[in-house]
Every structure is written in C-alpha cells, then in structure tokens.
C-alpha cells in the first residue's frame, strides 16, 4: 500500500466531517425555524465543495476560495452556535493552501474567532470553550503537518 492511500483517506475524512457538521448545523437551524441561517449554511457548503473541484492546484484561486469560505463561515457562526465548529475542517484547508507562516497565523486567528463566537453564544468565556478549540487546533495542525511529511516522503520514494 502506498502512502497516497492513507493521505487520500484522511482528506476524505476531513471532507466527510465537514459535511456532517454542516448537515447537523443546517438541520438545527431549520428545526429552530431559522431558514435564513440554514440557507447561509447551505451556501457555505456549496462554497466549501467548490474549492477542491474548481481551485485545486491554482495557488491564487485556492487562496481566494479560502478567504471567501472563511467570510461565508463567519455569518452563520455568529448566527447559530452549531456553525462555530465548522472552523475545524477549515483549519485543514488553511494548512493545505497557505505557506506554513500564513497557515499558522490563519489557524491562530480562526481558532480565536471560533472561541469568541462560542463564548458569545454561551454568554461568556469558560475554560472548556478556551481549552477545547485550542487543543483541537493543535491536533489539527500536527495532523496536517504529519500529512505533509508523509506526502513529501511518498514523493521521494516515487522519484527513486
């Protein structure tokens, strides 16, 4: 088995997680009688799905897509707490699309935004709302960096 298979599986796992979180959030918004928020979530899902299909391998396009998806995430994340957690699949996108220094900055900003949005919805900041997303961001970052290292190793093996 080549190293490409686990990397592809992880990439699909991230996309499936994003879709699952999005489905939960959209369904919750509809159950709460908030169709506008659900529509914002559906738009976010379409924009997220367009990234790999339209912009894959185009550095400028990928960065524009990432900016648009981030802005599209902010609107429903402020409107409903269940959309806040979609930040975490986006962290993988930051780590995939941006150079390391930009990705680290983006991860810090996006994680901070998720913490602030969650705290706002909860009525205040708490230790779990601060520590949970921070630890999740660290785990996502380490996983993404490990994947990049595995990909580089697979490329070296192919070059031999």
């Amino acid at each position: 088995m080549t190293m490409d298979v686990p990397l592809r599986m992880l990439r699909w796992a991230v996309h499936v997680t994003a879709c699952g979180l999005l489905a939960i959030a959209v369904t919750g918004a509809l159950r709460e009688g908030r169709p506008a928020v659900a529509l914002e979530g559906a738009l976010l899902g379409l924009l997220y799905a367009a990234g790999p299909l339209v912009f894959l391998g185009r550095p400028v396009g990928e960065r524009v897509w990432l900016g648009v998806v981030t802005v599209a995430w902010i609107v429903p994340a402020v409107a409903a707490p269940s959309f806040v957690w979609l930040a975490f699949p986006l962290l993988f996108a930051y780590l995939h699309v941006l150079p390391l220094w930009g990705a680290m900055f983006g991860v810090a900003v996006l994680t901070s935004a998720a913490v602030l949005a969650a705290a706002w919805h909860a009525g205040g900041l708490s230790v779990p709302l601060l520590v949970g997303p921070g630890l999740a961001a660290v785990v996502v970052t380490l996983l993404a960096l490990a994947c990049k290292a595995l990909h580089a190793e697979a490329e070296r093996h192919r070059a031999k």
Side-chain angles (χ1 to χ4, degrees):
M1 176 163 78
T2 68
M3 286 188 213
D4 287 345
V5 173
L7 293 175
R8 267 188 266 137
M9 289 174 64
L10 182 60
R11 189 173 295 125
W12 276 105
V14 170
H15 294 316
V16 168
T17 299
C19 289
L21 288 170
L22 186 63
I24 290 167
V26 168
T27 302
L30 287 172
R31 245 185 324 185
E32 294 169 1
R34 302 177 70 191
V37 175
L39 184 59
E40 291 167 356
L43 177 61
L44 172 61
L46 289 173
L47 290 169
Y48 178 85
L53 298 173
V54 178
F55 301 110
L56 186 64
R58 299 179 183 152
V60 173
E62 286 178 337
R63 291 175 183 168
V64 169
W65 165 81
L66 186 58
V68 169
V69 169
T70 301
V71 170
W73 166 77
I74 292 169
V75 175
V78 168
S82 56
F83 285 97
V84 171
W85 310 117
L86 283 160
F88 297 102
L90 282 179
L91 294 177
F92 277 103
Y94 275 75
L95 290 156
H96 176 73
V97 169
L98 299 175
L100 187 58
W101 67 269
M104 293 295 99
F105 178 76
V107 165
V109 170
L110 192 62
T111 302
S112 298
V115 167
L116 291 174
W120 184 73
H121 286 295
L125 187 61
S126 66
V127 172
L129 285 180
L130 185 62
V131 173
L135 286 175
V138 168
V139 170
V140 165
T141 300
L142 292 174
L143 277 172
L145 293 175
C147 286
K148 282 188 177 196
L150 285 172
H151 181 70
E153 183 68 22
E155 290 299 317
R156 278 194 291 280
H157 282 288
R158 259 183 248 159
K160 289 182 180 181

